């Protein structure tokens, strides 16, 4: 049986092989992914991002366990759950994977759960492309909920988080006085803000800081005295009509998780009723096509570029007879059809 058909029949080994093929950009894997693409589109994608150590993996394990048992949307019952852990901060295979696997031990072994850790990709954009492909494959394989953990650090991770239907930005008390997410500028991608480690002192303070930051970004909901133009805050609301909530959880004590799941379900329902899910899917499709297009154009460029032309241009740049920008102008002008 071919790979795509085996994946559709729920063969986990075939799925794992497909995901490896996608990560290695093996043409057979990528072809199977294209074959599977029409079968996808049902999954709810939940992005979980935030600074290292705030408890994302632990929280994802808790969320996964609850959702696996009770579903995500009200009254759905048990569903298949997948976790995709994107951790580019560990370039060496093994470390991050083991770390995440261990905290996922509650979930591992359940045939309705699939956990995948993404290895860091050397090439620029490779991580985002591989993650998009992985999520597509899991969606087609029938995982109704896909939890995507990313470290809220680089552009690629933010890009990945933005392709989720619902994005959680996780924060924890006791990581310095400032709330890291505010400093990192990732509040704007949050549909829901989570203060994890609520069992530790300082959680109330972190929640207060986040609410204050949100109030600055969403003044229309908090200030009736100014015209809307004047109230335009720094945080562009990702989804019209949705005001991010701030919720406490403790992955350690397993508290706050059902309330968080309710909030996610409310956000998903809001996406459906407001028509925003469609807009989100368009944005996701654009991101994915652009990521692949960029790769294809770079490959195409390198295939057409004669090495001696490149070397000659670089020499001129070294001698300061032309600027790097002028070199690129020359190299691409000669190539234009
Ligand atoms: N006290 C407390 N510790 C937690 C909680 N959640 C995670 N941790 C601990 O925080 C550390 C980092 O957790 P991890 O899930 O790996 O964070 P990540 O880097 O954001 O994925 C680990 O030592 C966890 O045991 C929590 O709710 N309360
Ligand atoms: Mg983690």
């Amino acid at each position: 049986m071919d790979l795509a058909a085996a994946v559709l029949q729920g063969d986990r080994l075939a799925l794992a092989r497909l995901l490896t093929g996608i990560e290695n950009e093996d043409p057979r894997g990528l072809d199977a992914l294209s074959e599977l693409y029409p079968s996808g589109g049902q999954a709810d994608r939940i992005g979980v991002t935030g600074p290292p150590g705030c408890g994302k993996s632990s929280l994802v394990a808790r969320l996964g366990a609850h959702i696996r048992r009770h579903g995500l949307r009200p009254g759905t019952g048990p569903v298949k759950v997948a976790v995709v852990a994107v951790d580019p901060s560990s370039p060496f295979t093994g470390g991050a994977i083991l770390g995440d696997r261990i905290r996922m031990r509650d979930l591992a072994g359940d045939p309705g759960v699939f956990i995948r850790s993404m290895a860091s990709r050397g090439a620029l954009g490779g991580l985002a492309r591989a993650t998009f492909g992985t999520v597509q494959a899991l969606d087609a394989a029938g995982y109704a909920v896909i939890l995507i953990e990313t470290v809220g650090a680089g552009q690629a991770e933010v890009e990945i988080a933005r392709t989720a239907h619902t994005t959680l930005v996780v924060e924890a008390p006791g990581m310095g006085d400032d709330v890291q997410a505010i400093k990192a500028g990732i509040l704007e991608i949050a549909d829901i803000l989570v203060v994890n480690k609520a069992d530790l002192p300082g959680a109330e303070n972190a929640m207060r800081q986040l609410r204050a930051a949100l109030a600055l970004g969403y003044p229309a909901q908090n200030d009736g005295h100014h015209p809307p133009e004047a109230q335009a805050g720094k945080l562009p609301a990702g989804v019209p009509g949705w005001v991010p909530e701030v919720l406490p959880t403790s992955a350690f004590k397993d508290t706050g998780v059902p309330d968080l799941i309710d909030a996610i379900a409310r956000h998903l329902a809001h996406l459906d009723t407001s028509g925003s899910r469609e807009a989100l899917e368009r944005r996701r499709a654009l991101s994915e096509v652009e990521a692949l297009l960029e790769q294809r154009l770079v490959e195409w460029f390198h295939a057409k570029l004669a090495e001696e032309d490149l070397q000659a241009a670089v020499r001129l740049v070294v001698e300061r007879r032309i600027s790097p920008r002028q070199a690129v102008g020359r190299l691409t002008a000669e190539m234009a059809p």
Side-chain angles (χ1 to χ4, degrees), residues 52-53 55-58 85-87 96 99-100 103-104 149 151:
K56 296 178 297 297
S57 297
S58 311
V86 184
D87 194 349
D100 285 331
R103 270 169 227 110
M104 301 286 178
E149 177 192 342
V151 181

Side-chain angles (χ1 to χ4, degrees), residues 4-337:
V7 167
L8 285 178
Q9 294 198 354
D11 180 340
R12 289 173 68 95
L13 209 63
L15 178 57
R17 269 190 22 235
L18 172 64
L19 298 185
T20 301
I22 292 168
E23 254 193 88
N24 296 336
E25 308 206 311
D26 161 13
R28 278 202 325 244
L30 297 178
D31 286 345
L33 184 60
S34 292
E35 218 179 300
L36 285 168
Y37 188 74
S39 305
Q42 309 302 312
D44 289 320
R45 302 184 297 271
I46 313 302
V48 180
T49 194
C54 67
K56 296 178 297 297
S57 297
S58 311
L59 184 62
V60 161
R62 294 295 193 193
L63 282 170
H66 279 257
I67 292 168
R68 170 76 187 116
R69 266 179 276 145
H70 311 294
L72 172 54
R73 291 158 180 269
T76 36
V79 292
K80 280 167 65 175
V81 176
V83 173
V84 180
V86 184
D87 194 349
S89 66
S90 302
F92 316 104
T93 46
I97 294 166
L98 192 65
D100 285 331
R101 284 269 161 84
I102 282 175
R103 270 169 227 110
M104 301 286 178
R105 65 177 176 268
D106 296 349
L107 291 176
D110 177 342
V113 173
F114 199 97
I115 300 166
R116 185 76 180 183
S117 290
M118 306 297 300
S120 179
R121 307 294 300 178
L124 207 65
L127 181 69
R129 285 196 306 272
T131 306
F132 294 152
T134 296
V135 169
Q136 274 175 32
L138 292 164
D139 183 347
Y143 291 87
V145 177
I146 304 173
L147 298 160
I148 307 156
E149 177 192 342
T150 64
V151 181
Q155 193 51 48
E157 295 76 57
V158 169
E159 195 57 35
I160 291 163
R162 281 170 60 93
T163 63
H165 294 113
T166 304
T167 302
L168 314 183
V169 171
V170 183
E171 193 52 57
M175 300 180 76
D177 283 335
D178 292 331
V179 169
Q180 302 297 310
I182 297 173
K183 273 206 303 206
I186 57 170
L187 282 197
E188 67 200 44
I189 65 167
D191 298 306
I192 300 167
L193 284 150
V194 180
V195 175
N196 187 46
K197 306 197 186 182
D199 53 286
L200 296 181
E204 277 302 324
N205 186 42
M207 290 184 61
R208 237 188 337 269
Q209 283 191 44
L210 286 171
R211 289 200 173 109
L214 284 179
L216 287 176
Y218 295 88
Q221 279 81 26
N222 297 284
D223 173 359
H225 304 294
H226 298 94
E229 317 80 77
Q231 293 176 13
K234 277 193 301 185
L235 306 174
V239 177
W242 177 262
V243 182
E245 301 176 44
V246 183
L247 295 171
T249 60
S250 167
F252 180 60
K253 293 194 166 168
D254 200 8
T255 59
V257 177
D259 285 345
L260 176 56
I261 289 172
D262 286 347
I264 297 169
R266 276 199 302 281
H267 183 257
L268 290 169
H270 175 81
L271 290 182
D272 289 340
T273 53
S274 64
S276 293
R277 190 169 175 119
E278 229 178 278
L280 249 160
E281 286 303 323
R282 266 199 305 278
R283 190 170 80 187
R284 178 206 48 92
L286 180 65
S287 287
E288 297 195 14
V289 169
E290 277 184 335
L292 289 170
L293 194 56
E294 244 167 62
Q295 177 192 31
R296 183 62 59 89
L297 286 175
V298 168
E299 281 171 4
W300 176 84
F301 177 77
H302 279 292
K304 284 211 154 202
L305 182 66
E307 184 60 25
E308 65 252 38
D309 289 347
L310 177 62
Q311 292 307 332
V314 168
R315 214 161 31 242
L316 292 175
V317 171
V318 171
E319 292 164 3
R320 298 207 177 254
R321 289 162 61 188
I322 60 172
S323 73
R325 186 167 180 275
Q326 285 168 328
V328 169
R330 282 191 193 187
L331 290 169
T332 52
E334 280 160 23
M335 212 169 278

